[in-house]
Amino acid sequence: KNEVEQSPQNLTAQEGEFITINCSYSVGISALHWLQQHPGGGIVSLFMLSSGKKKHGRLIATINIQEKHSSLHITASHPRDSAVYICAVRRIGNQFYFGTGTSLTVIP
Amino acid sequence: GAVVSQHPSRVICKSGTSVKIECRSLDFQATTMFWYRQFPKQSLMLMATSNEGSKATYEQGVEKDKFLINHASLTLSTLTVTSAHPEDSSFYICSARETPGTGVLGYGYTFGSGTRLTVV
């Protein structure tokens, strides 16, 4: 069993839809990261969370430490949001564990 | 915000040659940098942890003589793939941990944009 599980693995949405990607983890962590990987492979750090909620533009990330769960929300989705979204957790000893990613396709 | 510059973004090399990948923190000091590898449709896997001024710590199964890591300054770590073979073709990415008190993240991590290596 992976330490980090993401769902769904694949997601197709119509432009404008509200999107949620979920991440569950089974280890104690000091922080959780959401990453965006584009088709060429380049990775962008979206959020680093240790509690609560963060918002950046149309992106919202939440984390529930007690339930070991985080969600990434995209409001008013756009085709340019199409990418793979990766959840990564950092343990107390600074080891990272990565989810296998959620491939999002937003159709115009 | 904190930025990590990784260069090159893409490289194609001949089998048997060596390739150097640079990971540079632009506006903060990074005592520790991490190197990851990603095979197609798989998750990122940690290869090694690089500490400024000391030897890197490699994960089990990673050949340290093949993947040479040098972290000579607080802003630069390099990964050299020596005597590259087609099976080394992969996506390599670094992340940097900000040295506390030196930047804007407050002890955070930032990822480079990655390097796609193709060995022909």
Side-chain angles (χ1 to χ4, degrees), chain A residues 26-55:
Chain A
S26 58
V27 296
I29 69 169
S30 57
L32 181 145
H33 296 247
W34 280 102
L35 310 173
Q36 181 190 53
Q37 184 172 33
H38 288 277
I43 285 186
V44 175
S45 296
L46 297 176
F47 294 104
M48 180 179 71
L49 294 164
S50 55
S51 65
K53 175 181 175 179
K54 287 189 176 180
K55 184 177 188 293

Short mmCIF file of all heavy atoms in Angstrom, two decimals, chain A residues 26-55:
data_model
loop_
_atom_site.label_atom_id
_atom_site.label_comp_id
_atom_site.label_asym_id
_atom_site.label_seq_id
_atom_site.Cartn_x
_atom_site.Cartn_y
_atom_site.Cartn_z
N SER A 26 -1.04 7.99 5.05
CA SER A 26 -1.10 7.08 6.19
C SER A 26 0.04 7.29 7.19
O SER A 26 0.14 6.54 8.16
CB SER A 26 -1.06 5.64 5.69
OG SER A 26 0.11 5.41 4.93
N VAL A 27 0.87 8.29 6.95
CA VAL A 27 2.01 8.52 7.84
C VAL A 27 1.89 9.89 8.50
O VAL A 27 1.16 10.76 8.01
CB VAL A 27 3.33 8.43 7.06
CG1 VAL A 27 3.54 7.03 6.52
CG2 VAL A 27 3.38 9.45 5.94
N GLY A 28 2.61 10.05 9.59
CA GLY A 28 2.64 11.37 10.22
C GLY A 28 3.46 12.31 9.37
O GLY A 28 4.49 11.94 8.84
N ILE A 29 2.97 13.54 9.23
CA ILE A 29 3.64 14.46 8.33
C ILE A 29 3.89 15.80 9.01
O ILE A 29 3.25 16.15 10.00
CB ILE A 29 2.83 14.70 7.03
CG1 ILE A 29 1.56 15.49 7.31
CG2 ILE A 29 2.52 13.37 6.34
CD1 ILE A 29 0.86 15.99 6.05
N SER A 30 4.84 16.54 8.45
CA SER A 30 5.05 17.92 8.89
C SER A 30 4.45 18.90 7.90
O SER A 30 4.16 20.05 8.25
CB SER A 30 6.54 18.20 9.10
OG SER A 30 7.25 17.95 7.91
N ALA A 31 4.26 18.48 6.65
CA ALA A 31 3.64 19.35 5.66
C ALA A 31 3.19 18.53 4.47
O ALA A 31 3.66 17.40 4.25
CB ALA A 31 4.61 20.44 5.19
N LEU A 32 2.27 19.09 3.71
CA LEU A 32 1.78 18.45 2.49
C LEU A 32 1.90 19.45 1.35
O LEU A 32 1.60 20.64 1.51
CB LEU A 32 0.33 18.01 2.67
CG LEU A 32 -0.36 17.29 1.50
CD1 LEU A 32 -1.32 16.23 2.04
CD2 LEU A 32 -1.08 18.26 0.58
N HIS A 33 2.35 18.96 0.19
CA HIS A 33 2.51 19.81 -0.99
C HIS A 33 1.58 19.35 -2.09
O HIS A 33 1.37 18.15 -2.28
CB HIS A 33 3.95 19.72 -1.52
CG HIS A 33 4.99 20.24 -0.59
ND1 HIS A 33 5.73 21.37 -0.86
CD2 HIS A 33 5.43 19.79 0.60
CE1 HIS A 33 6.59 21.59 0.14
NE2 HIS A 33 6.42 20.65 1.03
N TRP A 34 1.05 20.30 -2.83
CA TRP A 34 0.37 20.00 -4.08
C TRP A 34 1.25 20.53 -5.20
O TRP A 34 1.66 21.70 -5.21
CB TRP A 34 -1.00 20.66 -4.12
CG TRP A 34 -2.05 19.90 -3.37
CD1 TRP A 34 -2.55 20.18 -2.13
CD2 TRP A 34 -2.74 18.72 -3.80
NE1 TRP A 34 -3.50 19.25 -1.77
CE2 TRP A 34 -3.64 18.35 -2.77
CE3 TRP A 34 -2.69 17.93 -4.96
CZ2 TRP A 34 -4.48 17.23 -2.86
CZ3 TRP A 34 -3.52 16.82 -5.05
CH2 TRP A 34 -4.40 16.48 -4.01
N LEU A 35 1.52 19.66 -6.19
CA LEU A 35 2.36 19.99 -7.32
C LEU A 35 1.56 19.84 -8.60
O LEU A 35 0.65 19.01 -8.69
CB LEU A 35 3.59 19.07 -7.37
CG LEU A 35 4.38 18.90 -6.09
CD1 LEU A 35 5.45 17.82 -6.28
CD2 LEU A 35 5.02 20.21 -5.67
N GLN A 36 1.92 20.65 -9.60
CA GLN A 36 1.28 20.56 -10.90
C GLN A 36 2.35 20.20 -11.92
O GLN A 36 3.35 20.91 -12.04
CB GLN A 36 0.63 21.90 -11.26
CG GLN A 36 -0.09 21.93 -12.59
CD GLN A 36 -0.48 23.35 -12.97
OE1 GLN A 36 0.35 24.25 -12.99
NE2 GLN A 36 -1.75 23.56 -13.27
N GLN A 37 2.13 19.11 -12.65
CA GLN A 37 3.12 18.69 -13.65
C GLN A 37 2.49 18.77 -15.03
O GLN A 37 1.47 18.15 -15.31
CB GLN A 37 3.59 17.26 -13.38
CG GLN A 37 4.69 16.80 -14.32
CD GLN A 37 5.27 15.46 -13.92
OE1 GLN A 37 4.58 14.61 -13.40
NE2 GLN A 37 6.57 15.28 -14.16
N HIS A 38 3.14 19.55 -15.91
CA HIS A 38 2.62 19.75 -17.25
C HIS A 38 3.10 18.64 -18.17
O HIS A 38 4.06 17.92 -17.85
CB HIS A 38 3.03 21.13 -17.74
CG HIS A 38 2.27 22.22 -17.06
ND1 HIS A 38 1.01 22.61 -17.47
CD2 HIS A 38 2.54 22.96 -15.97
CE1 HIS A 38 0.57 23.56 -16.68
NE2 HIS A 38 1.46 23.80 -15.75
N PRO A 39 2.47 18.50 -19.34
CA PRO A 39 2.81 17.39 -20.24
C PRO A 39 4.29 17.26 -20.54
O PRO A 39 4.80 16.15 -20.70
CB PRO A 39 1.98 17.71 -21.49
CG PRO A 39 0.81 18.46 -20.98
CD PRO A 39 1.33 19.29 -19.84
N GLY A 40 5.00 18.35 -20.61
CA GLY A 40 6.44 18.28 -20.86
C GLY A 40 7.23 17.81 -19.67
O GLY A 40 8.44 17.57 -19.77
N GLY A 41 6.58 17.68 -18.52
CA GLY A 41 7.24 17.18 -17.32
C GLY A 41 7.52 18.23 -16.27
O GLY A 41 7.70 17.90 -15.11
N GLY A 42 7.55 19.49 -16.67
CA GLY A 42 7.87 20.55 -15.73
C GLY A 42 6.92 20.59 -14.56
O GLY A 42 5.71 20.39 -14.72
N ILE A 43 7.47 20.81 -13.38
CA ILE A 43 6.66 20.79 -12.16
C ILE A 43 6.62 22.17 -11.52
O ILE A 43 7.64 22.86 -11.43
CB ILE A 43 7.21 19.75 -11.17
CG1 ILE A 43 6.85 18.35 -11.66
CG2 ILE A 43 6.71 19.99 -9.76
CD1 ILE A 43 7.21 17.24 -10.71
N VAL A 44 5.43 22.54 -11.09
CA VAL A 44 5.23 23.80 -10.39
C VAL A 44 4.68 23.50 -9.00
O VAL A 44 3.76 22.70 -8.87
CB VAL A 44 4.25 24.71 -11.16
CG1 VAL A 44 3.95 25.97 -10.36
CG2 VAL A 44 4.81 25.07 -12.53
N SER A 45 5.25 24.11 -8.00
CA SER A 45 4.71 23.97 -6.65
C SER A 45 3.47 24.85 -6.52
O SER A 45 3.56 26.05 -6.76
CB SER A 45 5.74 24.39 -5.61
OG SER A 45 6.86 23.55 -5.62
N LEU A 46 2.35 24.26 -6.15
CA LEU A 46 1.12 25.04 -6.00
C LEU A 46 0.93 25.50 -4.56
O LEU A 46 0.66 26.67 -4.31
CB LEU A 46 -0.07 24.21 -6.44
CG LEU A 46 -0.10 23.77 -7.90
CD1 LEU A 46 -1.31 22.87 -8.15
CD2 LEU A 46 -0.11 24.97 -8.83
N PHE A 47 1.00 24.54 -3.66
CA PHE A 47 0.74 24.85 -2.24
C PHE A 47 1.63 24.02 -1.35
O PHE A 47 2.00 22.90 -1.68
CB PHE A 47 -0.71 24.52 -1.85
CG PHE A 47 -1.76 25.35 -2.52
CD1 PHE A 47 -2.52 24.83 -3.56
CD2 PHE A 47 -2.01 26.65 -2.09
CE1 PHE A 47 -3.49 25.59 -4.17
CE2 PHE A 47 -3.00 27.41 -2.69
CZ PHE A 47 -3.73 26.88 -3.73
N MET A 48 1.95 24.59 -0.19
CA MET A 48 2.51 23.83 0.92
C MET A 48 1.61 24.09 2.12
O MET A 48 1.37 25.24 2.47
CB MET A 48 3.94 24.26 1.24
CG MET A 48 4.56 23.48 2.38
SD MET A 48 6.26 23.97 2.73
CE MET A 48 6.04 25.57 3.46
N LEU A 49 1.09 23.01 2.71
CA LEU A 49 0.11 23.14 3.78
C LEU A 49 0.57 22.36 5.00
O LEU A 49 1.07 21.26 4.88
CB LEU A 49 -1.23 22.53 3.37
CG LEU A 49 -2.04 23.15 2.25
CD1 LEU A 49 -3.08 22.15 1.78
CD2 LEU A 49 -2.73 24.40 2.76
N SER A 50 0.35 22.92 6.17
CA SER A 50 0.50 22.14 7.38
C SER A 50 -0.78 22.13 8.20
O SER A 50 -0.95 21.32 9.11
CB SER A 50 1.66 22.66 8.23
OG SER A 50 1.48 24.04 8.49
N SER A 51 -1.70 23.03 7.87
CA SER A 51 -3.01 23.05 8.52
C SER A 51 -3.93 23.95 7.73
O SER A 51 -3.48 24.82 6.96
CB SER A 51 -2.89 23.56 9.96
OG SER A 51 -2.49 24.90 9.97
N GLY A 52 -5.24 23.74 7.92
CA GLY A 52 -6.21 24.68 7.41
C GLY A 52 -6.38 24.70 5.91
O GLY A 52 -6.54 23.67 5.26
N LYS A 53 -6.36 25.90 5.37
CA LYS A 53 -6.76 26.12 3.99
C LYS A 53 -5.92 27.23 3.39
O LYS A 53 -5.55 28.18 4.08
CB LYS A 53 -8.24 26.53 4.00
CG LYS A 53 -8.87 26.92 2.70
CD LYS A 53 -10.33 27.30 2.96
CE LYS A 53 -11.02 27.83 1.74
NZ LYS A 53 -12.45 28.15 2.00
N LYS A 54 -5.60 27.08 2.09
CA LYS A 54 -4.91 28.15 1.37
C LYS A 54 -5.59 28.35 0.03
O LYS A 54 -6.13 27.42 -0.55
CB LYS A 54 -3.43 27.82 1.16
CG LYS A 54 -2.58 27.92 2.41
CD LYS A 54 -1.10 27.80 2.09
CE LYS A 54 -0.26 28.01 3.36
NZ LYS A 54 1.19 27.90 3.07
N LYS A 55 -5.54 29.58 -0.45
CA LYS A 55 -6.19 29.93 -1.72
C LYS A 55 -5.22 30.74 -2.56
O LYS A 55 -4.54 31.64 -2.06
CB LYS A 55 -7.47 30.73 -1.45
CG LYS A 55 -8.28 31.05 -2.68
CD LYS A 55 -9.57 31.77 -2.29
CE LYS A 55 -10.51 31.96 -3.47
NZ LYS A 55 -9.98 32.87 -4.49
#
